[in-house]
Every structure is written in structure tokens, then in C-alpha cells.
Amino acid sequence: MKAAERLFSLYLELGFSLQAFSSAVEALRLANEVLESEIYAWRVVSDDGHPVRSSCGLTISVDTSLKEERGLLGKTGWSPSVAVICGGSHPLSVNRALHGWLRECRARKLCLVGIASGVFSIAQTGLADGRRCAVHWEQFPSFVEQFPCVAAVQAAYEIDGDTYSCSGGDAAFDMFLQFVKEDYESPIANRVCEKATAMTVREPGDRQRLPLHAGAAINHDALLKIIEQMERHIDEPVALEDMAASSRLSRRQVERIFSKQIGRSPARYYLEMRLERAHLLILNSHLPIVEIAMACGFVSASHFSKAYRENYRLTPREARSEAIERRRSGHGTFAAAQAHENRRTSNWQGSGT
């Protein structure tokens, strides 16, 4: 092995993704099994040392509190080499104790890992500024609005120096397998995949999902290149002729490829992509509707509202009102965790600390 044994501190946010958490831990556990040695260890952390409720409603016990974990930094045999923030689909409010721990971890040269909404917690500290970070596509629009200094990408996972990030789900398995590859090269990682019956393992920067409306994997390189251009230019749409020319295709050729592979014209596909981005901003941000319209390439709020209503069967304001009402009514298993988080924040603010 090229490095000392690795100890991972896994901090669980309220409403964390159990799938992503278990995928990360399982990659390490299987690596130990293949190596026939306890090379990788992990310690599970919560704010107060109490069990944490996941997004699916299951509660996971932990090993220690955040305060106790911070006290272990720098202690031989107890200090971790990797700090992991396990999030879910809902970014939580600012947690100053967590931010203090993250800053001390970075000062001590630990790798920082953000899973799903855990990337938001790292970004809130400024420690991700200038770094490439993978963000889940549903969280991506609000993330780029909040953290313009972070090079956010819609990849399965990214590794930029000592900062690791993944979109969640089973991408956590792929990302944590990279730690094994760094230590033992591909043969051991391949055996881990065999035990996990993982047919394919994504590399850093690989797409986290199929293109919008794609029913199966797309193998047409020119089509993917044009779709990626569309994704990069949501706020200022690029003319189809320019995108076609960059792929050395004619406009008519591009239209035929889109129709065959996706069942939509390029113009309609681009519009729906921009509307999806706007929809996510409406649901997950507090930006005014007019700013969302401009951020998604619409020339006016009225034009945006008309296109949005035709696609979603309600106006942007109605969609936002419905989302707010769902959160107030406690829709979904995440509600209990969010209510607890709100109480924690209220108590912290009330204490004046």
C-alpha cells in the first residue's frame, strides 16, 4: 500500500441518503474483505452523538458526536485522514459547528468529501471555491446560483485535489472505489466490483444521468457534444447552426439525429432543458421569478410564464406555492428530519452562541 491505513469520519446530515451512505461504506468493507485485512476503517458522526434519521425514514446509530470527533483531530491512532459529509436531497441550514470542523480538517490536510447535499456544506465554508464539484442535477441550479465561485458540474463524481464530491446514490460506491485504486491500483478495485456485482464503474467526470428524455444510452458522440453545449449555455442559448457547425454537421443532420435518438426537435429539446432548470430553481430557491426567467435564457417573464405553463400545466408562481405548501404540510419522510433541523437552528440562534 502506498499510504497508511485510512480512517474515514462520516458525518450524517439529517435526512441523509441511506443509499449513498451504504454504498460508500460497502466499497470500503468489500475492499477489506478482498485484502483480508482491516485496512479501511470508518467512524460515524452526528451533531450530538444521537442516531440520525435518513431520507427514507430509517434511523442509523452513530459512534460519536461532532464535538468529540473534532477533539480527536491530530491524535495518533484516532485522527481520520478523510472527512465525509453524507447529505441527501435537501440542503440544510448553516451549521457553524460543522463548518468549524471542516475548516480544521482542511487545515490538517484531510481530504474533504461531499456526498449529495453534503457538497453544499463544504461550499458554505468557502473551501470548495475554485474546485470542480459534482452536484446532483436536481440541486445543480440552486447550487450554481448560491456558489458562483465553485466549478459545479453535473457529473457522477469529481476529484479535484483533496476535494471529492459526488451526486449521491450509487455514485458514492464509484467514488470511494477511487480511494482503493489510489492505494492498490486496479486489480484490487476490480475484485471489489466483482464482489459487489458492479458491471461498470464510472470515472470522475462521467455523466450522472442520461440526457433529458433519453430512454437508453446514447452512443452518438456528436449528439452528446451538442447536448453538453446546451447544458453549458442555459442562460444564453446558442443558435443551432453554431452548435451544428462545431460538430461538423448540418442543421438538417442535427435535426434528424435528435428526432431518431430522442424523438424531439433540437429546439424543443433545448426549450425543455431550460424549463427543467427553471422548474428546479422555482422549487429549490428563493430567486424572484423574473430572475429565474433571465437565468434560463428567456427574454421576458411573460414569455417564460407562457412556456412554463404549457409544459407544466400551471404558472411558475402556482408551482412555487404548491412546493411551499408541501413542505409546510410535512410531505414525505424527510419532514421529520427537517422539523428537527429547524428546532436545532432555532435553539442555536436563541442561545446566542
Side-chain angles (χ1 to χ4, degrees):
M1 183 173 179
K2 295 185 293 186
E5 296 181 1
R6 292 189 192 255
L7 173 61
F8 293 74
S9 287
L10 297 143
Y11 172 86
L12 303 184
E13 290 187 342
L14 289 162
F16 71 96
S17 166
L18 185 60
Q19 180 191 11
F21 168 72
S22 58
S23 294
V25 172
E26 192 66 0
L28 302 178
R29 186 193 70 80
L30 289 174
N32 287 343
E33 194 172 288
V34 168
L35 294 164
E36 299 182 345
S37 180
E38 297 298 314
I39 299 298
Y40 299 103
W42 50 91
R43 195 162 52 226
V44 185
V45 184
S46 71
D47 275 330
D48 51 14
H50 293 159
V52 183
R53 186 182 178 91
S54 68
S55 59
C56 70
L58 293 178
T59 299
I60 300 298
S61 61
V62 304
D63 300 307
T64 188
S65 69
L66 187 59
K67 181 178 180 180
E68 292 169 341
E69 182 65 21
R70 188 170 182 178
L72 296 175
L73 289 173
K75 292 189 176 181
T76 304
W78 292 94
S79 184
S81 59
V82 183
V84 185
I85 310 301
C86 302
S89 57
H90 299 270
L92 301 183
S93 56
V94 171
N95 184 333
R96 296 187 184 278
L98 176 61
H99 291 179
W101 178 60
L102 287 171
R103 290 192 177 97
E104 186 169 352
C105 286
R106 174 53 57 82
R108 293 180 180 275
K109 310 300 182 183
L110 272 67
C111 289
L112 299 184
V113 179
I115 296 177
S117 64
V119 181
F120 280 75
S121 295
I122 297 175
Q124 287 167 354
T125 66
L127 296 174
D129 287 359
R131 308 287 184 110
R132 289 190 318 278
C133 287
V135 182
H136 191 281
W137 63 272
E138 289 183 309
Q139 301 169 355
F140 186 82
S142 59
F143 186 93
V144 296
E145 292 294 331
Q146 292 181 55
F147 308 109
C149 293
V150 180
V153 293
Q154 295 185 60
Y157 68 98
E158 277 289 353
I159 300 173
D160 191 342
D162 54 5
T163 302
Y164 292 60
S165 55
C166 83
S167 54
D170 59 3
F173 181 90
D174 299 339
M175 182 175 68
F176 272 65
L177 200 61
Q178 291 296 318
F179 286 108
V180 180
K181 283 185 178 181
E182 290 172 11
D183 296 336
Y184 291 98
E185 306 298 342
S186 294
I188 297 298
N190 291 342
R191 289 177 61 191
V192 171
C193 291
E194 290 173 358
K195 281 183 170 289
T197 64
M199 293 291 291
T200 59
V201 175
R202 287 165 290 192
E203 295 296 322
D206 284 357
R207 296 185 68 93
Q208 61 184 246
R209 67 165 179 160
L210 293 171
L212 188 66
H213 300 304
I218 294 176
N219 296 317
H220 200 293
D221 291 340
L223 176 59
L224 287 173
K225 184 177 180 180
I226 290 173
I227 289 173
E228 288 169 358
Q229 286 189 69
M230 291 177 174
E231 291 173 339
R232 289 195 302 269
H233 297 93
I234 293 289
D235 56 339
E236 296 182 359
V238 179
L240 178 58
E241 289 80 2
D242 295 335
M243 290 187 287
S246 67
S247 299
R248 299 183 179 181
L249 297 172
S250 68
R251 178 190 179 102
R252 182 57 187 152
Q253 285 175 312
V254 172
E255 289 174 340
R256 283 199 300 267
I257 294 169
F258 266 85
S259 178
K260 181 178 179 180
Q261 296 267 342
I262 298 180
R264 280 166 170 72
S265 69
R268 182 63 195 177
Y269 184 86
Y270 207 173
L271 174 62
E272 292 180 353
M273 180 184 289
R274 290 158 51 214
L275 285 171
E276 181 191 61
R277 174 71 63 84
H279 182 64
L280 293 171
L281 281 171
I282 287 169
L283 300 185
N284 301 310
S285 80
H286 299 292
L287 287 174
I289 300 299
V290 66
E291 289 187 23
I292 292 175
M294 300 302 291
C296 297
F298 291 92
V299 295
S300 68
S302 59
H303 175 217
F304 165 62
S305 184
K306 181 175 183 294
Y308 185 93
R309 183 164 191 165
E310 289 175 353
N311 199 69
Y312 290 100
R313 301 293 185 266
L314 72 171
T315 68
R317 295 189 188 283
E318 290 170 343
R320 175 165 280 175
S321 295
E322 285 191 5
I324 292 172
E325 184 57 33
R326 282 197 300 271
R327 286 194 288 269
R328 284 176 178 169
S329 63
H331 178 74
T333 57
F334 176 74
Q338 185 62 61
H340 183 90
E341 165 68 6
N342 292 339
R343 288 194 297 272
R344 179 192 67 78
T345 303
S346 177
N347 292 337
W348 176 82
Q349 291 174 338
S351 68
T353 56

